[in-house]
Amino acid sequence: KVDKLHNKALGLANEKSYNSAIKTINQCLEISPHCSQFHTLKAKFFALEKNVVGARKALAKLDMKDQNVKTSLYHFVTGLCYYYEDDLERAISGFGEAKKELGEAKDWHDKAMAMHNAYVSGNKVVKIGGSYSSALACLDKGLGIDKGNSAYMAKLFYTRALLNTRYERL
C-alpha cells in the first residue's frame, strides 16, 4: 500500500499538483512515520509550492545521522528554500551538491546561476559605472528567467530602477 501511495505522490508532483502530493505523502507518513525519504519528499513538495516554512519544518524532522537520508535530495530541497528566500548563492551551492545525483537539480542550478549573474552584472554598473545598455540587457534577461520568484523579481526591478535613476532614464 505504501508503495502505491508513494508512486501516486510522485505522479501528482510530476503534474505540479504539489498540495495533493503532500496529502498523499502524509498518508505514507501515517504508515511509516520515520521514513526519511517521505519527510524529504514532503519538504520538496512544499518547497516547489514556494512554501519555505513548510519545507523547513519537514526537513527539521529528519535525523541527519540516519544513513537513509538521501543527501542529494536534502541539498536540492535546501537549495529550493534558499532560492525562494532570495539567497541565490546558497541556492546555487545546494543545487550544485544535489546535481551530482539529481538531474532536475542541474536545471535549477543553471537557472539560479543565470539569475544571480544577471543581478550581479546589473548591480555592478549601478555601483561602479559602466555600460547602461549592457546592464539593462542583463537585468531584462534576468527578469525573464523566473517570474514566479517574487523576492528575486522585486530585487531586479529595484536594481533596474536604480540603474535608470543613475543614468537619468526615467
Side-chain angles (χ1 to χ4, degrees), residues 97-118:
E97 283 296 313
K99 75 180 185 175
K100 295 170 188 169
E101 292 180 35
L102 286 178
E104 67 185 312
K106 184 190 180 325
D107 296 337
W108 283 90
H109 178 269
D110 294 349
K111 179 166 56 169
M113 187 69 91
M115 290 164 64
H116 182 64
N117 288 341

Side-chain angles (χ1 to χ4, degrees), residues 4 13 24 27 41-42 63 69-70 114 129 162:
K4 262 187 180 174
T24 306
Q27 291 176 315
L41 281 173
K42 182 177 178 178
D63 176 5
V69 173
K70 191 169 181 192
L162 286 176

